[in-house]
Amino acid sequence: MPLLQVANLRKVYGEHTSVDGISFDIEAGKCVALLGPNGAGKTTTLRMLAGLLQPSSGLISFDGGSGVDYRSLLGYLPQSPAFYSWMSGQEYVVFAAKLCGISSSEAGRLAADALEHVGLKDVSRRKIAGYSGGMKQRLGLAQALVHRPRLLLLDEPVSALDPIGRREVMELLRGIREETTIIFSTHVLHDAEEICDDIILMNHGLIAEQGTLSRLRSQYSLPVIRLSTGMDEKALGWLQDLAHRSFVEQSVIYSGSATLNVSDMELARRTILQEAASLDISLLQFEAGSSTLEDLFMKVVGA
Amino acid sequence: MRKVWTLYHKEMLEALRSYKLIWVPVVFMILGIMQPLTTYYMPEILKASGNVPPGMLEGYEMPGAAVVMAQTLGQYGTIGMLILVLGVMNSLAGERSGGTIEMLMVKPVAPAAIVSAKWAAQLTTLIVALGLGVAGAAYYTEQLMGPLSWGRLCAGAGLYGLWLLCAVSLTLLFSAWLRGPAAAFLGLGSAAAMSLAHSLLPSQLGWTPAALTAQSAAIITEGRGGTWGPACSAGVLIVVCLAAASLLIRRNKLPD
């Protein structure tokens, strides 16, 4: 039984449809990336999952039950977390724990644990006003984790951070994913590849592709030949001609260089190299490889 | 209930750290003490200012202790209300525009708990400020003018406090869906509109919260308050404000 089931979730703001009927399941213990360009509907989706926004239609069921308030089992970190700057880090995490219904003494203990976990123990008595961006993000993680949630929703947890802060938060997530289920949104494919099992790729409010990272990788690692030639007329004509061979499934040809998705790599390589030699084409570059998720991402995003 | 207490504790901590819990009562005390002092020393002050026409001071009659206390409360109806409203205007609006409400709403907390904790914190500030202000004023009035009936004074101050609380609750309601300054403007405006309507049609609108100010003065000076109508309508108004504010923050759009 999946921990979270989402069926046909939609959110419409007047004329604008932000999320246009998405469905997915999330198994307990997984780490899922909600990937997509800015404006794809990732934040809206996460806010609906967090109960901050009422869906226009669709169903969210948590642990088999729909319509129940599961907020006490949820940890949520918004895109730009805002804290009470007059509080200390320690006070904020205790406050967050108490709001989840944890008694004062227990809250103090859990808060100390959470702060130590995210590496803020030494500065926990300082006012949040003096925290750096990375420290605030880690404090956000601490407040989301303090009540030991079953599901952690993180909205762009690393996008606003500098490389060092990003590294710190990614390392933390790597540890946290062993303990709980995580859904995090990002517009950076690399972040998703680094720690996730599953990817949900969104664009224009729709799911463009979803599945396990390994499946997507193998499915989208198609054999690809990239080659470039000199700019003489004979070579350019030959490139255009290549696009119509039987082993070429898809081709992009642009001023002397071509990217060919091929069905039979061996045949394609032999044919191209032999022809280049016999026709005396000024071949500058030849590469036989496979496409990456990056190519999939760019294709879906339509860039 | 424990969550309301947690939220209330946070509000009070903020009021303390921002010194609001100190400067609001201090202003109320200054306002309160000024009234008996300026009334008592008015002849002196006028004399010192020089060009007073002869004979004018002979007509000056020192008002009684109860009248001075009623005037003191009248001070709180203007400057005091302004200060309280300015203090409450950002309590919800600030959390909305600052984004802190997002992390509050995602916790298993009812919107009504957030609103009532904020309201209770404002009530605490109001009670401390009004209590200290009236106590200071009453002390000087007793020293300078003569004895006071403390029972009547407490009843009168309580009724006046209820009127101030109406303005605070209205501002809290507006703060749930408008920006802070707009909330303050509408909060003060609606209180002023109620006062104006009451003074234009006193007999028809004698049951509205705006009648509380006159009732409070009557209790202090004459010892009789009249009906429970204004107090009841004030209670209803406050409850409606809190309920509406809870609904509004639930529905409100979050910052992008």
Side-chain angles (χ1 to χ4, degrees):
Chain A
M1 167 88 106
L3 180 67
L4 185 77
Q5 285 175 296
V6 173
N8 234 335
L9 197 63
R10 274 169 66 87
K11 181 71 192 177
V12 182
Y13 293 108
E15 299 259 293
H16 174 66
T17 305
S18 181
V19 173
D20 195 5
I22 60 171
S23 306
F24 57 88
D25 289 355
I26 285 166
E27 300 286 339
K30 292 278 186 195
C31 176
V32 181
L34 205 54
L35 188 64
N38 293 327
K42 304 185 300 282
T43 296
T44 310
T45 306
L46 283 179
R47 279 179 174 171
M48 284 192 283
L49 294 182
L52 286 168
L53 279 177
Q54 200 61 38
S56 303
S57 66
L59 212 60
I60 300 171
S61 35
F62 187 84
D63 212 10
S66 66
V68 290
D69 187 1
Y70 54 85
R71 286 183 297 177
S72 54
L73 304 171
L74 202 71
Y76 174 73
L77 175 64
Q79 193 160 8
S80 40
F83 301 97
Y84 304 107
S85 53
W86 48 269
M87 272 190 179
S88 71
Q90 151 87 11
E91 283 167 336
Y92 191 85
V93 180
V94 169
F95 172 65
K98 283 189 189 169
L99 287 183
C100 292
I102 296 168
S103 69
S104 291
S105 54
E106 181 78 355
R109 201 177 57 72
L110 286 174
D113 282 356
L115 284 163
E116 184 163 8
H117 191 160
V118 300
L120 288 178
K121 194 181 164 203
D122 297 337
V123 293
S124 64
R125 307 265 162 203
R126 264 177 36 198
K127 293 277 183 294
I128 299 174
Y131 279 21
S132 70
M135 285 157 85
K136 279 186 184 163
Q137 208 71 12
R138 283 186 282 154
L139 180 64
L141 275 176
Q143 66 82 31
L145 283 171
V146 66
H147 56 294
R148 307 259 157 87
R150 294 187 55 198
L151 177 64
L152 199 56
L153 302 173
L154 310 171
D155 193 359
E156 302 272 3
V158 294
S159 302
L161 297 178
D162 63 12
I164 297 167
R166 196 188 147 277
R167 195 71 266 140
E168 289 170 351
V169 172
M170 288 308 271
E171 286 307 319
L172 274 173
L173 289 182
R174 209 188 292 280
I176 293 164
R177 61 156 295 180
E178 303 298 325
E179 294 156 28
T180 183
T181 312
I182 302 180
I183 304 178
F184 80 93
S185 74
T186 176
H187 56 250
V188 184
L189 175 70
H190 184 69
D191 294 342
E193 282 186 292
E194 210 169 313
I195 57 170
C196 283
D197 309 300
D198 293 2
I199 285 184
I200 296 172
L201 186 52
M202 283 185 78
N203 198 25
H204 301 303
L206 289 162
I207 293 184
E209 184 61 81
Q210 61 176 319
T212 62
L213 195 57
S214 50
R215 182 180 75 75
L216 291 180
R217 252 197 205 119
S218 60
Q219 186 177 338
Y220 285 94
S221 84
L222 299 170
V224 168
I225 290 177
R226 297 181 185 85
L227 70 164
S228 56
T229 62
M231 297 297 284
D232 52 293
E233 213 155 285
K234 189 170 68 172
L236 294 179
W238 176 70
L239 278 184
Q240 292 296 339
D241 185 44
L242 271 184
H244 304 296
R245 301 300 165 83
S246 58
F247 54 78
V248 175
E249 290 181 331
Q250 232 178 356
S251 62
V252 180
I253 296 172
Y254 175 73
S255 74
S257 59
T259 306
L260 309 171
N261 286 8
V262 296
S263 50
D264 186 341
M265 179 59 95
E266 269 316 301
L267 175 68
R269 178 161 47 196
R270 212 165 40 231
T271 316
I272 290 173
L273 289 178
Q274 273 171 2
E275 280 185 21
S278 60
L279 294 172
D280 193 22
I281 302 288
S282 52
L283 198 56
L284 298 177
Q285 194 192 14
F286 178 89
E287 184 192 340
S290 59
S291 64
T292 58
L293 282 179
E294 189 77 37
D295 300 329
L296 166 68
F297 183 62
M298 295 316 274
K299 199 166 105 193
V300 165
V301 169
Chain B
M1 208 50 218
R2 201 167 66 199
K3 288 176 189 167
V4 178
W5 176 250
T6 302
L7 287 162
Y8 173 74
H9 183 249
K10 173 226 138 196
E11 293 297 327
M12 293 315 293
L13 197 64
E14 180 171 21
L16 205 61
R17 295 230 172 124
S18 63
Y19 302 109
K20 203 179 115 191
L21 206 54
I22 295 166
W23 70 262
V24 174
V26 165
V27 172
F28 268 65
M29 280 174 77
I30 293 172
L31 278 177
I33 294 166
M34 289 286 276
Q35 190 66 28
L37 286 182
T38 48
T39 309
Y40 185 79
Y41 290 110
M42 189 53 81
E44 245 83 350
I45 295 167
L46 289 176
K47 243 182 265 167
S49 74
N51 47 9
V52 184
M56 185 180 157
L57 289 175
E58 284 148 34
Y60 186 79
E61 203 180 303
M62 191 63 68
V67 174
V68 172
M69 280 316 293
Q71 285 169 350
T72 306
L73 287 174
Q75 291 287 329
Y76 295 144
T78 50
I79 301 175
M81 184 184 281
L82 180 70
I83 288 165
L84 287 171
V85 163
L86 292 181
V88 70
M89 69 179 189
N90 267 325
S91 67
L92 281 168
E95 294 232 16
R96 286 190 304 119
S97 64
T100 47
I101 199 140
E102 193 175 1
M103 292 218 272
L104 215 51
M105 298 288 282
V106 82
K107 300 278 186 280
V109 182
I114 299 173
V115 171
S116 45
K118 289 203 177 281
W119 180 81
Q122 297 300 329
L123 176 62
T124 312
T125 311
L126 171 65
I127 289 173
V128 170
L130 194 63
L132 287 175
V134 168
Y139 173 77
Y140 279 96
T141 307
E142 283 224 304
Q143 296 296 312
L144 299 173
M145 318 275 177
L148 274 167
S149 157
W150 286 82
R152 289 181 189 181
L153 183 60
C154 287
L159 287 179
Y160 214 98
L162 193 57
W163 166 240
L164 293 177
L165 192 58
C166 284
V168 166
S169 306
L170 279 165
T171 311
L172 192 65
L173 166 63
F174 293 125
S175 174
W177 61 287
L178 293 170
R179 287 170 174 278
F185 178 77
L186 277 181
L188 287 173
S190 47
M194 280 198 287
S195 288
L196 185 66
H198 175 252
S199 55
L200 289 178
L201 300 165
S203 48
Q204 283 93 330
L205 296 176
W207 54 272
T208 58
L212 283 168
T213 55
Q215 218 177 12
S216 150
I219 283 196
I220 292 173
T221 52
E222 297 156 35
R224 50 171 185 79
T227 66
W228 284 100
C232 290
S233 62
V236 171
L237 176 71
I238 290 167
V239 170
V240 167
C241 283
L242 295 188
S246 308
L247 286 175
L248 280 169
I249 57 163
R250 194 207 304 266
R251 290 183 32 163
N252 238 300
K253 228 186 109 190
L254 294 160
D256 290 320

